[in-house]
Amino acid sequence: MAKETSIKARTQTFSFFYGQKQALFDINIDMHENRVTAFIGPSGCGKSTFLRSINRMNDLIESTKHTGLMEVDGVDVYGSDVDVVTLRRRIGMVFQKSTPFPKSIFENITYGLTLTGKKSKSELEEVVESSLRRAALWEEVKDRLHHSALGLSGGQQQRLCIARAVSVNPEILLMDEPCSALDPISTGKVEELITQLKDQYTIVLVTHNMQQAARVSDYTGFFLMGKLIEFDRTRTIFTSPSKKETEDYITGRFG
Amino acid sequence: MSVFSGHLPASKRVLGFFAVLVAAFAAVAIVGLIVSMFGIFIAGGAQHLSWSFLSEAPRNNNMEGGIFPAIFGTALLVLIMSILGVPIGTATAIYLNEYAKQTSVFARSVRFAVNTLAGVPSIVFGLFGVGFFVQFLGKGLDGMMYGSMEAKVFGQESLLWCSATLAVLTLPVVIVAVEEALRAVPRELREASLALGATKWQTIIKVVLPNSVTGILTGSILAVSRGAGEVAAILFVGVAYSMDGNVGLTEKFMHLGYHLYVLATQSPDVEKALPLQYATTLVLLGLTFLLNFTAIYIRSRLRTKA
Ligand SMILES: Nc1ncnc2c1ncn2[C@@H]1O[C@H](COP(=O)(O)OP(=O)(O)OP(=O)(O)O)[C@@H](O)[C@H]1O
Ligand SMILES: [Mg+2]
C-alpha cells in the first residue's frame, strides 16, 4: 500500500454516553487523509454512534455527553468556539437509509449549496452535473433532473444522496452502511465510487459486509460492545489479526 | 354445560345478541337523525333559497330581503381569524415541537395551557373578547392613537375583535393539527438537512414546513369550520342585528349563526320567520360542509402526491 498520508481526524480516549448508558469506551483512532477507514462489528457495538460523533449529529439527541477528544485537523470538534453548522458543512454524511428530500433531483443536489446564499443558475447546473457524475448517476437521470427524487430506485436514491453529500465539497465523507439496502449491482457501483472519491476526501465507512471492508478500505477498525478491539491496516486485519475476537468475527465464528 | 362443548354459554350468547342489536339500533338511529335533520331544513327552507335571498341585504326587521351581509360577514370573519390565528398557532407548534425541550417546565406549561384552552366554554371566550380586546386593547389603542380612550374607533365591538376572539378560540385546533404534522416528518429528513450544514431554522423552513403543509392546511380549515359556526364566543364582541352590505373592520357586522339566533328570538312574527331560519341554516351547514370537504380533499391530494 501507498505510504502514510497525514492524519485528518483522530480521537483520544473518546467515550460517549446516552444518558447513563455508555456506548463508546476510550476510543483511540487516527483517520488518514485520502484513505478509506472502515468500521466493522456486530449490531449495537457503537459504529454509528462513533460516526455520528464526528460531525456531532448526536448533539440532536437529548441528554447525551462525551469525554475525551475528537479532533479534525487538530481542532477539538466539541470545542466551545466550534460552529457546528460549519463543521457539518465540512463533514458530509451518507445514511444507511437513503433520505432524498421530497423535491426534484435538481433541488436535492443544490440544497446544500443554496444554504449559504443565492447561486447563479449556471453555477448550480454545473455543480448538479459534476456531483451526479461523481456519484455515477448522471447518465441515468440527466433527462429528468426536474422530476421528483422519490421516483428513483433505491440504489439510485442512495447514489443521489452521495451526490448531494459531495455537492458541497466536504473534506470528510461519513458513510453509515451505505449499501445495506442495495442490490449487488448498485453495491458494486457505490464501492467503485468510494475508491474514486478517496482521491478527494477522507472517507469513514461503516459496513456489515466484511468483503466490502476488505475491498474498499485502507484501514479497518473492529468494534465490540463499545470498545475498539483492534485497528490496523485492512490487509493486516483480514490476514493476520492480533486479537482473537477479531479473528473470530471475520471468520464468521461470531455475531 | 359440557367441557367438550365449543359453544359459548347461553347467557353470553344472549348478551352478545343484545349488544349487536343495540349497536345496530344506534347506527340506524344516527343515520335517521341526520336524514331527518336535513329533511326538516330542506323541506322548511329550500323554497326560500333563491338568488335574491343569497345576494340581498335584509329589510323590514330581517323579515324580507336576503342574508348577503351575514354570508359576507361570516366569510370575512373567518378569513381575518385565520390570518391572525394560523401564523401564531403554527409558530407555537414549531416552538413546542422543534425548539422546546420536551421536559422543560415552560414547554409543559404551554402545552397545559393549550389543552385547557381547548376545554373552555365558548361563552367564556366571548367575555374574554369584550374584556381583553374591546375594553383593554381597543380602548388602549384609541388612547394611544387618538388621545382619548373614548374615541370609539378600536374601543368598541367590531369585526376585528370578533376575529381576534375566534382566533384565540381556535388556536388549540391549529396547534394540535400542526404539531401532529410536524411530528410526522421523519427524523432522517431533518438529519439529512442538518448534515449538509443547514441550520435548524433553515431545516424547518426548507424541509420540515414543506412536509407539513397538509397538516397546516387541515388545521386551518378545521379551525375555520369551527369558527364559522361559533356564535356564543362573539355574542358580545361585535355581531349586529341587521345591516346593509357595507362592512368595516372596526364596525359591527352580520353573522350567519347569530342571524339564526336573531330570527328565532327577536322576530316580530315567529311563524313567518321559520322558513327564513331554515334557509339560513341550510346556507350555514352548506358552508361548513364545503370547508370540511375542502380539508379532506386537500389532505388526500397532498397525501397521494407525497
Ligand atoms: N438514541 C439512542 N438512545 C439511547 N441509546 C442508543 C441510542 N442510539 C444508540 N443507542 C445504543 O448505543 C449502542 C450503540 O448503538 P449504535 O447505533 O452506535 O450501534 P451500531 O454499531 O451502529 O449498530 P448497527 O450495526 O445495528 O447499526 C447500542 O447499545 C444502542 O442501543
Ligand atoms: Mg448503525
Side-chain angles (χ1 to χ4, degrees):
Chain A
M1 184 188 308
K3 62 182 198 309
E4 293 271 356
T5 54
S6 59
I7 293 168
K8 182 70 184 173
R10 64 175 195 148
T11 64
Q12 272 181 332
T13 60
F14 186 83
S15 297
F16 192 87
F17 303 81
Y18 291 105
Q20 297 297 311
K21 187 175 176 293
Q22 185 164 4
L24 292 174
F25 297 82
D26 295 327
I27 309 290
N28 296 299
I29 293 178
D30 291 346
M31 286 159 274
H32 289 264
E33 201 154 9
N34 301 122
R35 293 286 175 267
V36 178
T37 304
F39 293 117
I40 57 172
S43 193
C45 66
K47 306 178 297 290
S48 299
T49 304
F50 182 77
L51 212 63
R52 293 165 54 92
S53 301
I54 303 177
N55 67 344
R56 291 182 54 176
M57 220 46 172
N58 283 330
D59 287 15
L60 304 176
I61 302 165
E62 272 181 35
S63 67
T64 55
K65 69 166 201 283
H66 77 282
T67 61
L69 197 61
M70 168 74 72
E71 278 184 359
V72 171
D73 286 338
V75 177
D76 180 7
V77 302
Y78 288 91
S80 55
D81 54 346
V82 168
D83 174 35
V84 65
V85 170
T86 318
L87 177 84
R88 291 195 186 126
R89 206 165 283 150
R90 292 172 54 202
I91 308 178
M93 189 163 204
V94 177
F95 300 84
Q96 171 171 6
K97 219 178 119 212
S98 59
T99 51
F101 300 125
K103 303 170 185 277
S104 75
I105 294 171
F106 191 90
E107 287 169 311
N108 263 275
I109 308 290
T110 54
Y111 183 86
L113 229 61
T114 51
L115 292 173
T116 48
K118 261 197 134 38
K119 301 283 183 307
S120 73
K121 191 158 174 268
S122 60
E123 193 179 346
L124 291 178
E125 279 168 352
E126 206 178 296
V127 172
V128 167
E129 177 166 353
S130 68
S131 306
L132 286 170
R133 277 194 195 283
R134 275 192 281 180
L137 191 59
W138 174 251
E139 291 301 327
E140 289 161 63
V141 301
K142 65 180 178 199
D143 297 324
R144 47 170 169 153
L145 292 176
H146 296 283
H147 291 225
S148 169
L150 301 181
L152 298 174
S153 76
Q156 290 173 326
Q157 287 190 5
Q158 191 63 309
R159 278 179 285 147
L160 179 77
C161 291
I162 295 175
R164 189 175 64 186
V166 300
S167 71
V168 288
N169 263 319
E171 299 157 33
I172 303 177
L173 196 56
L174 308 174
M175 307 178 100
D176 194 349
E177 300 183 38
C179 303
S180 65
L182 302 188
D183 64 280
I185 293 176
S186 306
T187 301
K189 282 189 181 161
V190 172
E191 286 181 6
E192 208 174 295
L193 230 113
I194 293 172
T195 27
Q196 281 165 18
L197 291 173
K198 79 173 180 184
D199 291 344
Q200 296 162 60
Y201 309 107
T202 303
I203 295 179
V204 186
L205 170 76
V206 166
T207 176
H208 267 287
N209 180 333
M210 237 86 65
Q211 287 79 34
Q212 182 168 74
R215 276 194 300 264
V216 303
S217 73
D218 304 293
Y219 297 88
T220 298
F222 172 56
F223 274 94
L224 189 61
M225 290 167 72
K227 300 200 172 75
L228 183 67
I229 302 295
E230 193 169 349
F231 182 72
D232 213 324
R233 286 182 183 269
T234 298
R235 185 149 10 100
T236 316
I237 292 279
F238 282 97
T239 53
S240 52
S242 53
K243 295 274 173 30
K244 184 163 182 314
E245 291 100 319
T246 316
E247 190 176 345
D248 285 351
Y249 186 72
I250 58 178
T251 53
R253 261 174 283 163
F254 183 102
Chain B
M1 163 152 280
S2 157
V3 272
F4 297 109
S5 160
H7 293 292
L8 286 167
S11 60
K12 280 208 173 154
R13 251 183 295 158
V14 172
L15 248 169
F17 175 73
F18 273 108
V20 171
L21 202 68
V22 169
F25 182 75
V28 171
I30 287 170
V31 173
L33 260 173
I34 293 175
V35 169
S36 56
M37 194 164 114
F38 272 92
I40 289 173
F41 292 136
I42 291 173
Q47 85 273 17
H48 218 94
L49 271 184
S50 63
W51 177 243
S52 60
F53 184 69
L54 295 176
S55 64
E56 284 173 16
R59 293 185 307 270
N60 188 16
N61 276 327
N62 291 335
M63 297 310 286
E64 283 166 34
I67 56 165
F68 177 73
I71 298 175
F72 188 57
T74 308
L76 268 183
L77 173 76
V78 294
L79 182 72
I80 301 168
M81 171 199 86
S82 312
I83 293 171
L84 295 174
V86 172
I88 295 176
T90 306
T92 310
I94 289 176
Y95 169 75
L96 284 176
N97 204 58
E98 307 290 323
Y99 283 96
K101 269 213 163 106
Q102 296 313 306
T103 47
S104 82
V105 177
F106 184 68
R108 279 198 290 187
S109 317
V110 174
R111 231 176 261 278
F112 179 75
V114 171
N115 288 336
T116 311
L117 212 55
V120 171
S122 34
I123 190 83
V124 177
F125 282 98
L127 290 171
F128 168 76
V130 176
F132 180 75
F133 288 122
V134 179
Q135 299 295 336
F136 176 72
L137 207 59
K139 292 206 166 158
L141 276 175
D142 279 352
M144 264 168 26
M145 293 168 65
Y146 303 98
S148 158
M149 303 272 272
E150 297 306 319
K152 293 269 178 224
V153 180
F154 289 106
Q156 61 176 355
E157 292 84 26
S158 68
L159 173 61
L160 176 65
W161 299 136
C162 280
S163 308
T165 306
L166 281 189
V168 178
L169 179 126
T170 52
L171 212 49
V173 181
V174 179
I175 294 174
V176 168
V178 176
E179 257 209 287
E180 197 184 310
L182 293 177
R183 265 199 295 273
V185 177
R187 205 187 58 160
E188 290 87 10
L189 281 187
R190 298 163 196 263
E191 290 193 344
S193 167
L194 293 166
L196 282 164
T199 61
K200 192 165 190 171
W201 180 242
Q202 286 174 322
T203 302
I204 290 172
I205 293 295
K206 300 185 87 171
V207 174
V208 177
L209 283 183
N211 275 282
S212 327
V213 182
T214 332
I216 296 170
L217 280 178
T218 317
S220 325
I221 295 172
L222 286 179
V224 166
S225 72
R226 164 98 210 266
E230 185 60 54
V231 181
I234 53 173
L235 207 49
F236 321 122
V237 197
V239 280
Y241 170 79
S242 185
M243 292 191 90
D244 58 18
N246 299 321
V247 189
L249 200 58
T250 56
E251 281 157 39
K252 288 193 172 193
F253 68 107
M254 276 187 82
H255 178 264
L256 277 173
Y258 181 67
H259 190 62
L260 266 181
Y261 172 78
V262 166
L263 286 175
T265 57
Q266 340 238 312
S267 294
D269 183 346
V270 179
E271 281 292 301
K272 229 183 112 192
L274 208 56
L276 290 173
Q277 272 181 61
Y278 286 158
T280 309
T281 308
L282 279 178
V283 173
L284 183 58
L285 280 180
L287 202 72
T288 313
F289 279 124
L290 192 70
L291 288 167
N292 277 317
F293 281 125
T294 315
I296 294 168
Y297 177 71
I298 291 176
R299 231 187 158 128
S300 61
R301 267 292 298 276
L302 287 171
R303 202 164 273 165
T304 48
K305 231 181 79 185

